[in-house]
Every structure is written in structure tokens, then in C-alpha cells.
Amino acid sequence: MAEATGSDHRSPIRVLVTKIGLDGHDRGSLVVAAHLRDAGMEVVYTPPWQEISAVVKLALEEDIHVIGLSCLATDHLLVPKLMDALREAGLKHVPVVVGGIVPDEDEAILLAAGVRRVFHPGASLQAITDTITGLAETAFSADDLR
Amino acid sequence: MNRPPATRIEEFIGRLRGGERFALARAITLVETGAATAVTVLNAIQSGVGNARVIGFTGAPGVGKSTLINAYIRVLRQRGQTVAVAAVDPSSPISGGAILGDRVRMGEHGGDDGVFIRSISSRGHLGGLSATTAQVVDLMDAAGWDRVVIETVGTGQSEVEIARLADVSVVVCAPGFGDDIQAIKAGILEIADVLVVNKADQAFAEQTCQQLKSMLGLRTAACDAVPVLATVATTGQDVDRLASAIDARYREHPSDHHTRETRRTRALIVHAVCREMHRRLADEHGDKLDDLCVRVSCGELNVDDAVGVLLAALDRS
């Protein structure tokens, strides 16, 4: 429960689970979203087919700690464009992770574009939760007014 | 947490009041996390609060609140108004986590800078809102948004907190939601300034409207003016009429900022006292409470006696 204003209470991690591009396979993002909720996170969930500009606007308004993208059908190639858009909007501080079908040679492209971590098939839900928790704790400080 | 220097906070407050989106987003986070800076920010903006009209949407899960708000935003945008939305979703009673999905249904405004949507977890708070929703509304108001729309969690019959916060409360029902007895029950229907039967393209919509109208007919004069409207949120049918009805109600009963503020402050104080009592019972009188439980369950005391003993102990401590 939220405590009275003035305490040092640590609040839940806010994570965005979304999909960009034309791929509509949302089973994976639903499974991950449900697991993150059960790990105590506040998950802003969107259906597939989000435009990059909408994802940026959402991440800004919701003051998201970590963005998680599910990419199963080559949409991961759009991720560098999203990274550029986030930077332009002043959201460089928000870590992005990608999960799904990402060939090894493309993983290097994503990491070079600033993606913090790529999860491949077989990644455990616990590993995803731990990574997001770690990124949120190091990358996010509510008192940073920028 | 490290408190930023005073000049940084002042500059931040300036950006917030100037309408910068990131500043509003971060200010809401400050309030939600209970950061020390939040108090400074909230105090600083109080003079700028009271310009926005605050409209609350409440109703049972699945009646179409989010979709109706989406259509309502469209009408407000056509009328040239900017809209900030605070959409509250329930948190898990087990993990404390939440899936915040209301804005999924407001997706058509994803590219519109005249719309700001923030999803809020109730974080265990009962009553239909979160403990900090009132402050979030103040921030949106002070940041210069023309209309602030609050969506409550899907409510039952008694989550009436929204009435304290909103200038106009819209209670949304679905067709066939209950018989005449349901309609006459006290609680959520009584706080409605506007009643909406959404999904009006479905069966029994007309009957539900009639039931609500006859329910209002049995009420005191104050209820006479409550309009009952039928809408189809998915097509936008009659949502412009809803927007006009909301404006009309506001003009009839302009709940000035001062009244809203007083009601809200009162509620905040009561909440804080309850929380403190809880804490003291657990921290200082846990053993006594255990002992009283045993004595009540074996019939030595009744519950009223036990309450008396605890209140006396709280008085002394």
C-alpha cells in the first residue's frame, strides 16, 4: 500500500510490455506480463501493432522504468528506430529489453543500438524478472528531476 | 533517496506549471512513491489548482468505462479542449503487482499531444481509487489541462470515493444490470450526477433506462435533475449528448475548488488517522490484541467489550 507522502517507501517497478510492427503473436508478451505482475510489478500492457511514436508517448506519460518488447517475426529490426525516437524524446535513461526470435547477428545490431538485453527462446521467466528488476533499480531514481 | 537541491525543485515546478509533459509524468511518480520532494511540489502548485473540470467515470467491471472515456475524449478534442486521464486499475491482493490496461482502449489518442493518459494502480487502496489519486488530479489541474477525467477501478455497489473528487460523477451501467430492487439500492447509484446505460445496442437497454428513471423518481428532489442517457461507446453514438449533459450538470452545480478541497482534506485526515491507529494497534498492542482474540473466542468477552479495552489502551499510550 502506498504510504504517506514523505516516506522513503520504495514503490513497485513500472514496466511497459508492448509489441511494435505488424506481428500479432501476443502469447509471449501476455505470459511475461502476467509473470511480472505476479512478481509485484506494475505492468502497462498494450496489444500488438503499436506505432513507435505511441510507445514513446506512453513511456513518457507513464514514467516507465523499463520497456520490454516482444518481437517474434522480424519486428526486432524496427527496434533501433524506437531507440532513436526514445533518445529524441529525452528518454535515453529508460532501459529497453527485447525478447523473442532474434538471430545472433541481429542481436549485435540491437545491443549496438542501445538495447540492454536480448532474451532468446528458452529464457526463464525468473531471468527476465531479475534482469528487469536490476535495470529498474540502477537506471531509475524518482527524485531525478532532469 | 537524495533530495534534489531547492533550485532544481523550483525549476522543475516551473516546468510542471508550464505544461511540460515529462515534468507532469515525473511529478506523478514523486507523489506515488511518497518521495520527500512531492510535498514541496504539491504545496507549490496549490495556488494553480482549480481551473480544470474534473469528471469521474465509475461503474462495474466490463460496462465499458474505458471505451466510453475514449469516445468522450474524442468529443472533447473536437470541442478544442485538452484532456488528462487518470485511469485506476486494481492491484493484486497477493503480489501487489498490477496489469494496467485501461489505456489500451484509449489507443486512438496515442499520437495526440492534447491528451495525457496515466495508468494508476490502486496499490491496495479500497474505494475505487488509489490513495494518491487526489494529488494526481491536482497535478494535472495545475499543469494546465482543461479537463481531468478519472476512471475508477471496476466498482461494486459502495465504492463512492469518486464523488468527493470529481465535479461531475458519471455512473456507467450495462443493459440488464439488475432488476428494480438493484436499482433502488443505496450506494453507487446515489452519487451519480449523470447516469449512462452503455452498450445501448444490446437487448434490454431501453428497460434498464426505464428502471433507472423510475428509481430516480422515487428519490428526493435532488435526484430529479439526474439525466439518464443511452450510449454506444464503440461507435460513439450519443457520446456528444453525454458530453453536453456533463457540461450542463457542471453549470448547475459548479462545485468550486474550495468545496472539493475541503472534502478531500477531510478524507485525507481521516485516512491518515485510520492508518496510524492500525499501526499503533499492530506495533504497540499486538499482544493485547492476541489475548483479546482468545478471550472473545472462548466466550469470556464479547467483541464490544474487547473494542472498549483496546480503545482504553490506545487512549493511555
Side-chain angles (χ1 to χ4, degrees):
Chain A
M1 246 216 262
E3 280 303 320
T5 327
S7 75
D8 258 4
H9 180 76
R10 197 162 184 93
S11 63
I13 293 167
R14 288 172 71 84
V15 54
L16 167 62
V17 175
T18 189
K19 281 175 72 65
I20 52 178
L22 296 175
D23 169 37
H25 299 89
D26 57 2
R27 180 77 191 154
S29 59
L30 282 167
V31 168
V32 170
H35 186 80
L36 297 176
R37 174 202 61 203
D38 292 344
M41 296 185 197
E42 293 180 0
V43 184
V44 179
Y45 176 82
T46 83
W49 315 298
Q50 297 302 309
E51 290 178 24
I52 284 175
S53 59
V55 171
V56 172
K57 183 171 187 277
L58 186 158
L60 190 148
E61 291 173 359
E62 300 284 357
D63 206 2
I64 289 294
H65 301 179
V66 179
I67 298 174
L69 292 160
S70 168
C71 301
L72 297 169
T74 71
D75 329 278
H76 64 273
L77 296 169
L78 292 170
V79 173
K81 279 190 186 161
L82 172 68
M83 303 305 290
D84 288 343
L86 286 170
R87 240 188 316 273
E88 275 166 35
L91 296 177
K92 195 166 165 269
H93 61 282
V94 184
V96 175
V97 298
V98 172
I101 315 286
V102 178
D104 290 346
E105 59 269 34
D106 290 351
E107 178 173 356
I109 298 172
L110 298 194
L111 294 177
V115 170
R116 301 295 286 274
R117 177 79 187 266
V118 176
F119 295 101
H120 297 281
S124 76
L125 288 166
Q126 193 57 49
I128 295 171
T129 307
D130 291 346
T131 302
I132 288 175
T133 305
L135 286 171
E137 279 171 1
T138 52
F140 187 85
S141 156
D143 269 338
D144 179 5
L145 306 178
R146 288 196 304 124
Chain B
M1 276 183 237
N2 295 324
R3 203 183 153 87
T7 49
R8 289 283 286 145
I9 299 176
E10 233 168 78
E11 182 241 0
F12 176 77
I13 291 164
R15 285 194 281 141
L16 172 65
R17 299 183 73 155
E20 193 203 290
R21 309 171 77 84
F22 175 80
L24 175 57
R26 183 50 54 91
I28 295 172
T29 305
L30 289 173
V31 163
E32 282 208 299
T33 53
T37 317
V39 182
T40 318
V41 173
L42 286 169
N43 287 338
I45 59 152
Q46 278 311 312
S47 61
V49 169
N51 298 314
R53 275 185 210 178
V54 183
I55 300 110
F57 282 73
T58 189
V63 296
K65 292 182 295 296
S66 302
T67 312
L68 190 59
I69 289 172
N70 181 55
Y72 178 56
I73 295 172
R74 196 188 305 140
V75 174
L76 290 177
R77 294 297 294 139
Q78 282 161 2
R79 296 182 182 182
Q81 277 133 9
T82 60
V83 192
V85 182
V88 188
D89 263 326
S91 57
S92 156
I94 314 289
S95 71
I99 298 279
L100 308 173
D102 285 334
R103 69 181 295 148
V104 166
R105 297 189 180 79
M106 304 173 200
E108 74 172 68
H109 307 290
D112 181 355
D113 280 342
V115 180
F116 183 104
I117 302 169
R118 179 64 171 242
S119 312
I120 295 169
S121 158
S122 64
R123 296 197 181 165
H125 185 80
L126 303 177
L129 301 171
S130 73
T132 53
T133 307
Q135 284 99 320
V136 172
V137 169
D138 281 356
L139 290 169
M140 291 171 161
D141 184 345
W145 295 86
D146 298 330
R147 296 283 188 275
V148 174
V149 175
I150 309 168
E151 175 176 353
T152 71
V153 302
T155 50
Q157 292 171 328
S158 57
E159 289 89 345
V160 295
E161 258 186 349
I162 188 70
R164 275 203 307 266
L165 214 57
D167 295 317
V168 179
S169 296
V170 180
V171 175
V172 188
C173 314
F177 82 112
D179 55 18
D180 298 8
I181 304 299
Q182 288 283 64
I184 214 166
K185 274 186 184 170
I188 195 161
L189 291 175
E190 279 182 84
I191 62 158
D193 297 308
V194 178
L195 273 167
V196 175
V197 178
N198 190 36
K199 309 191 185 185
D201 52 346
Q202 292 184 7
F204 303 115
E206 186 51 35
Q207 274 138 295
T208 305
C209 283
Q210 285 309 325
Q211 281 168 357
L212 289 171
K213 281 176 186 161
S214 60
M215 178 271 291
L216 291 168
L218 297 172
R219 286 269 158 79
T220 54
C223 286
D224 284 353
V226 176
V228 179
L229 295 162
T231 59
V232 183
T234 47
T235 63
Q237 184 189 313
D238 288 328
V239 178
D240 53 340
R241 284 183 57 222
L242 168 62
S244 301
I246 290 169
D247 284 347
R249 287 297 281 176
Y250 181 82
R251 281 194 299 274
E252 286 160 24
H253 307 277
S255 90
D256 65 297
H257 173 59
H258 181 69
T259 321
R260 212 199 308 154
E261 189 64 26
T262 314
R263 276 185 312 206
R264 195 165 72 69
T265 311
R266 209 187 164 83
L268 286 174
I269 295 171
V270 171
H271 271 139
V273 170
C274 291
R275 210 164 42 217
E276 176 62 11
M277 293 286 268
H278 256 275
R279 191 198 60 76
R280 282 175 57 193
L281 277 179
D283 291 0
E284 297 165 20
H285 302 286
D287 292 344
K288 178 149 246 143
L289 188 53
D290 290 342
D291 175 51
L292 287 169
C293 284
V294 175
R295 290 169 65 192
V296 168
S297 56
C298 69
E300 207 178 296
L301 279 179
N302 63 37
V303 172
D304 286 343
D305 296 335
V307 171
V309 172
L310 271 182
L311 284 176
L314 282 167
D315 264 347
R316 279 194 303 273
S317 63

